[in-house]
Amino acid sequence: MLDWEHIFATRSSRMRASEIRELLKLLDQPDIISFAGGIPDPALFPDVAFKEAYSDIFSGAQVNAALQYSVSEGYKPLREWIARDVAKIGIDCTPDNVFITSGSQQALDYLGKLFLSPNDTALVTWPTYLGALSAFNAYEPNYDQLSLNGNRTPDAYRDTAAKTGGSVKFAYLSADFSNPTGETIDLAARERLLALADELDIAILEDAAYQHLRYDGEAIPPILALDIARRGGIENTRTIYSGSFSKTLAPGLRVGFVVAAMPVIRKLVLMKQAADLHSSTINQIAIEHVASRGFDAQVAKIKSVYSKRRDAMLAALDKYMPKNATWTRPEGGMFVWVTLPEGMDGAELLAKSIATEKVAFVPGRAFYADGSNANTLRMSFSCADEAMIDEGIKRLGRLISNAIRAAA
Ligand SMILES: Cc1ncc(COP(=O)(O)O)c(C=O)c1O
């Protein structure tokens, strides 16, 4: 076999398969109760609406355009629909401020490529979305912990970045129902982040993948909406908002988007021309077809199912978890984040849990840029029904209680 390592670029050394992903591949066995995948329940996909959409496309005059190359910015009627949708949450923009990506994951890759030179610093929450770390890693950045309670000065961030030979370029976060914790950033913290970003003169990357999935509580304006209100218009803002149809309609079509000021959009268009020319034409048309006819009804349907599963998971955790475990109480999204006593290891627990209790979850360490906090677990409630959730948490509670007793 060839020794590829010295031929590969240095950036490839940070592209590694995680042990956890390897372990989670075993989960296809039907007798496992899985809280591991952060994916939508396929039973909730609007398959009939998509069938109608593709059928309309193939039986109408649009078919040739749908099968043809198209513009890098994305399908105009879809961009218009998105501009109208985000206007409802205070993001006042034109369709030109909307750029279509192949899933919002592609937006993270492009934004990493656009902002990060090797050794620059990306500020991320501890923990953060693992896929964002994977996307940014290819651009060889350093990470620093984004503190949202205002206890770090701008100089503290600047000094840390300078020590590692670069400068702070952006802060990345999910403001609503984050992956992995399910938590929401409150209004005061959003305002503080905007002030910090002004001081540091950096971009804010607001990942809104779960934004539509609020089950209770008051909606808080997106950071981009607050930025627009402060600056008097989107062209003066520093926040780049990424959204997705993966959690609301279907992830397999790979349609996501970015909303931002024109200088950012223009660069993203150039990057897309070089990377994949454009996202799938026909899938963008199908998404627009389905969204414009029934987006709100689809979102209402999935919210009613997921909110019951969220309630079931929280009730089961209350019932079965030992006293010294704690967890988040998310108002939306797909995840609950469990913290176990110090010294426990989520990865070890997963191996035991799969072997003896047949319950899966994701150990939390992978979501920390510094690999800390092994005593955490990400539990997704999106794909299990209420009875399975109760049974799975009962088994897990037993396993954790026994592990705590054995360690004492
Ligand atoms: C926080 C967050 N951002 C982005 C993505 C990427 O999703 P997609 O590329 O399907 O839009 C995910 C997927 O799980 C996610 O959890």
Side-chain angles (χ1 to χ4, degrees):
M1 245 214 283
L2 218 62
D3 174 13
W4 291 101
E5 290 305 321
H6 72 282
I7 314 179
F8 288 152
T10 50
R11 74 180 77 90
S12 77
S13 68
R14 291 177 66 168
M15 302 172 188
R16 265 178 261 126
S18 81
E19 297 154 34
I20 293 155
R21 263 181 214 274
E22 296 305 307
L23 197 57
L24 295 178
K25 276 192 199 150
L26 307 173
L27 296 186
D28 282 343
Q29 304 154 23
D31 57 339
I32 296 230
I33 298 178
S34 180
F35 304 128
I39 57 176
D41 185 341
L44 299 171
F45 289 154
D47 50 350
V48 175
F50 276 117
K51 192 173 169 196
E52 267 169 33
Y54 285 100
S55 163
D56 278 6
I57 294 167
F58 278 102
S59 57
Q62 227 182 353
V63 64
N64 283 346
L67 295 175
Q68 188 54 284
Y69 285 117
S70 56
V71 294
S72 303
E73 289 83 347
Y75 179 55
K76 189 78 186 279
L78 179 59
R79 295 163 66 215
E80 288 166 347
W81 185 90
I82 292 167
R84 285 195 301 276
D85 192 56
V86 297
K88 295 178 197 155
I89 48 173
I91 299 176
D92 186 12
C93 68
T94 72
D96 288 341
N97 296 108
V98 181
F99 168 74
I100 306 295
T101 55
S102 300
S104 59
Q105 188 65 29
Q106 185 176 56
L108 299 177
D109 175 41
Y110 283 9
L111 293 167
K113 193 187 270 188
L114 183 57
F115 287 105
L116 298 169
S117 299
N119 289 326
D120 276 340
T121 289
L123 306 182
V124 295
T125 50
W126 252 225
T128 191
Y129 169 49
L130 174 57
L133 296 176
S134 308
F136 303 152
N137 277 347
Y139 305 104
E140 304 173 272
N142 297 305
Y143 296 104
D144 195 4
Q145 181 173 8
L146 175 64
S147 159
L148 293 165
N149 57 16
N151 66 358
R152 284 187 74 186
T153 62
D155 276 342
Y157 291 108
R158 257 188 228 114
D159 293 348
T160 310
K163 271 191 214 124
T164 49
S167 48
V168 185
K169 290 301 185 66
F170 61 70
Y172 163 82
L173 80 166
S174 278
D176 291 316
F177 332 122
S178 88
N179 178 358
T181 71
E183 285 172 320
T184 297
I185 310 299
D186 68 25
L187 181 62
R190 293 177 196 216
E191 295 281 10
R192 272 198 303 273
L193 176 61
L194 279 165
L196 173 72
D198 278 349
E199 283 271 351
L200 290 173
D201 194 14
I202 58 171
I204 296 173
L205 313 191
E206 178 176 23
D207 184 334
Y210 298 90
Q211 194 266 326
H212 281 100
L213 301 184
R214 175 175 281 284
Y215 313 134
D216 41 45
E218 278 291 303
I220 305 170
I223 299 168
L224 178 55
L226 298 171
D227 203 355
I228 291 171
R230 280 178 167 215
R231 300 274 161 198
I234 192 165
E235 293 312 327
N236 303 323
T237 58
R238 58 174 69 252
T239 305
I240 302 168
Y241 179 96
S242 63
S244 177
F245 290 96
S246 293
K247 316 297 175 184
T248 48
L249 299 185
L253 281 75
R254 309 307 301 129
V255 179
F257 59 91
V258 167
V259 183
M262 284 315 293
V264 174
I265 299 292
R266 280 193 284 268
K267 282 285 188 197
L268 292 174
V269 170
L270 295 175
M271 292 170 80
K272 199 156 176 69
Q273 279 165 5
D276 65 352
L277 300 179
H278 60 80
S279 296
S280 158
T281 317
I282 193 164
N283 289 354
Q284 292 183 66
I285 297 174
I287 289 275
E288 193 278 332
H289 190 289
V290 172
S292 62
R293 285 163 181 76
F295 188 79
D296 291 347
Q298 166 68 10
V299 170
K301 175 174 136 185
I302 62 177
K303 277 172 36 169
S304 95
V305 174
Y306 291 153
S307 63
K308 290 193 193 86
R309 292 178 181 174
R310 187 268 324 253
D311 293 346
M313 184 167 274
L314 292 176
L317 287 163
D318 286 337
K319 201 150 90 185
Y320 302 118
M321 277 288 154
K323 291 270 170 300
N324 34 9
T326 58
W327 51 91
T328 54
R329 305 195 81 86
E331 293 184 333
M334 295 185 173
F335 307 105
V336 174
W337 182 248
V338 177
T339 303
L340 303 176
E342 287 286 337
M344 292 193 72
D345 185 315
E348 277 173 28
L349 199 71
L350 175 63
K352 265 193 220 138
S353 178
I354 291 177
T356 64
E357 302 290 350
K358 304 247 178 255
V359 176
F361 51 84
V362 181
R365 182 166 38 196
F367 299 95
Y368 288 87
D370 67 347
S372 63
N373 290 274
N375 58 323
T376 51
L377 321 174
R378 189 193 75 177
M379 314 275 289
S380 167
F381 50 79
S382 58
C383 284
D385 65 29
E386 282 118 280
M388 277 162 74
I389 290 173
D390 187 77
E391 177 60 28
I393 300 290
K394 182 173 164 184
R395 294 185 202 172
L396 200 59
R398 180 167 67 202
L399 182 78
I400 293 171
S401 301
N402 288 343
I404 292 175
R405 261 197 300 279

